Amino acid sequence: MNTAQQAGREARAATQRATRSRPMAVLTRVGLACRGVLYALIGVVALQVGLGQGSGEEADKAGAISTLARLPFSEVLLWIMVAGFVALALWQASEALFGGGEPFERAEAVARVVVYGLVVYTLWSVITSGKAGSDDQKSQDATAKLLSLPAGQWIVGAVGLGLIALGVYWAHRGVTKGFREELDQGRMSPKARKVMDRLGVGGYIARGAIAGMAGILVGYAAITHDADKAGGIDATLRQFAETPAGRPLLVVVALGVLLFAGYCFGESRWRRT
């Protein structure tokens, strides 16, 4: 083995030790709890919209962060969120590079790095400027840029299909309780396992439905070559109210988001890290 290879191995080993250290494990669990806070706020706003009580808030991560920014001690809360989501991003980057899982699992880890990075960017924007851009607008802008590329419609269509596939995967993970493999069930009481099963099933099915609907919207944007047809979480959730089932369906999905928030809080305690 030459010097460069040895240095590379040592660097990878050092990275793994850093991401799996005790302080990083604590921060990762804080990050998982912070993720629960965001989903809880999104679920509450979506539920209000479904019940016809919405007051203009956006049911997405940017809207949730803006809500946090209006709370007492908001700056402290936002900095805690930054630390937590940075830890989550580093943890998932380590899983993608060194985890050795299935290709789909590694791809999912990469996607999570991107999502957590965007959350950190939004948090930083709120801390420094007091503003969090709309997730819907960001999604539309990104879609417009992709559509402007050669074969842009095919690329956007592929993204839409990927989101639908992700939705099916999440729903399947919920129905089959595949999320159990992420939890250290040896440290859980029978009651805790039962509660986490219920939260995980409902939460993952709701996530799957949202990802699937988002994929449909992106696919429609590709077919019509209209980036405005795409949208973020807020537009996707509101789309459920436009289906034949109407607002009751949005209420059901919103309750599922709240269940997933509860799962995140439990995951922060029992997740294998």
Side-chain angles (χ1 to χ4, degrees):
M1 181 182 299
N2 58 39
T3 304
Q5 290 175 325
Q6 181 64 31
R9 289 188 62 180
E10 291 176 357
R12 288 193 293 272
T15 302
Q16 286 180 290
R17 288 195 298 272
T19 54
R20 295 175 182 176
S21 64
R22 178 63 180 172
M24 184 60 71
V26 171
L27 281 176
T28 298
R29 295 188 185 282
V30 170
L32 290 170
C34 291
R35 187 173 70 151
V37 170
L38 290 188
Y39 274 105
L41 291 172
I42 291 170
V44 168
V45 174
L47 184 60
Q48 289 175 336
V49 173
L51 295 174
Q53 301 172 355
S55 56
E57 297 94 340
E58 291 192 335
D60 56 24
K61 293 181 175 67
I65 292 170
S66 296
T67 299
L68 286 173
R70 295 193 293 269
L71 297 177
F73 307 106
S74 60
E75 190 168 353
V76 174
L77 291 173
L78 292 174
W79 278 113
I80 291 173
M81 300 281 283
V82 168
F85 277 100
V86 166
L88 286 178
L90 292 175
W91 170 43
Q92 289 301 305
S94 175
E95 289 295 308
L97 294 172
F98 314 119
E102 296 295 328
F104 190 88
E105 293 174 344
R106 294 166 77 96
E108 186 180 12
V110 171
R112 286 177 176 174
V113 172
V114 174
V115 171
Y116 296 151
L118 290 173
V119 172
V120 171
Y121 175 78
T122 302
L123 286 163
W124 179 255
S125 297
V126 171
I127 291 172
T128 56
S129 66
K131 297 180 180 179
S134 166
D135 282 359
D136 286 344
Q137 189 60 54
K138 291 175 185 175
S139 297
Q140 290 167 0
D141 290 345
T143 303
K145 290 179 180 178
L146 289 175
L147 285 172
S148 67
L149 297 174
Q153 282 183 284
W154 291 100
I155 295 172
V156 173
V159 172
L161 289 175
L163 285 170
I164 292 172
L166 179 61
V168 172
Y169 168 73
W170 276 341
H172 179 267
R173 196 169 182 79
V175 171
T176 62
K177 300 179 183 177
F179 52 82
R180 285 177 172 175
E181 65 190 31
E182 299 175 343
L183 305 173
D184 187 356
Q185 297 199 47
R187 295 193 299 113
M188 299 167 64
S189 67
K191 184 176 180 180
R193 286 196 292 270
K194 188 174 182 178
V195 170
M196 287 298 285
D197 277 352
R198 292 177 176 175
L199 293 173
V201 170
Y204 269 96
I205 290 175
R207 288 187 82 197
I210 294 169
M213 179 64 80
I216 291 172
L217 294 179
V218 171
Y220 189 48
I223 293 170
T224 60
H225 207 280
D226 183 357
D228 290 343
K229 301 299 183 184
I233 297 176
D234 181 70
T236 301
L237 284 168
R238 293 175 191 272
Q239 190 63 36
F240 284 104
E242 302 298 323
T243 64
R247 286 185 173 179
L249 179 58
L250 175 55
V251 170
V252 171
V253 175
L255 290 173
V257 174
L258 291 173
L259 289 176
F260 187 73
Y263 175 84
C264 290
F265 291 127
E267 186 183 23
S268 71
R269 179 175 180 182
W270 291 301
R271 172 80 189 217
R272 298 181 189 272
T273 58

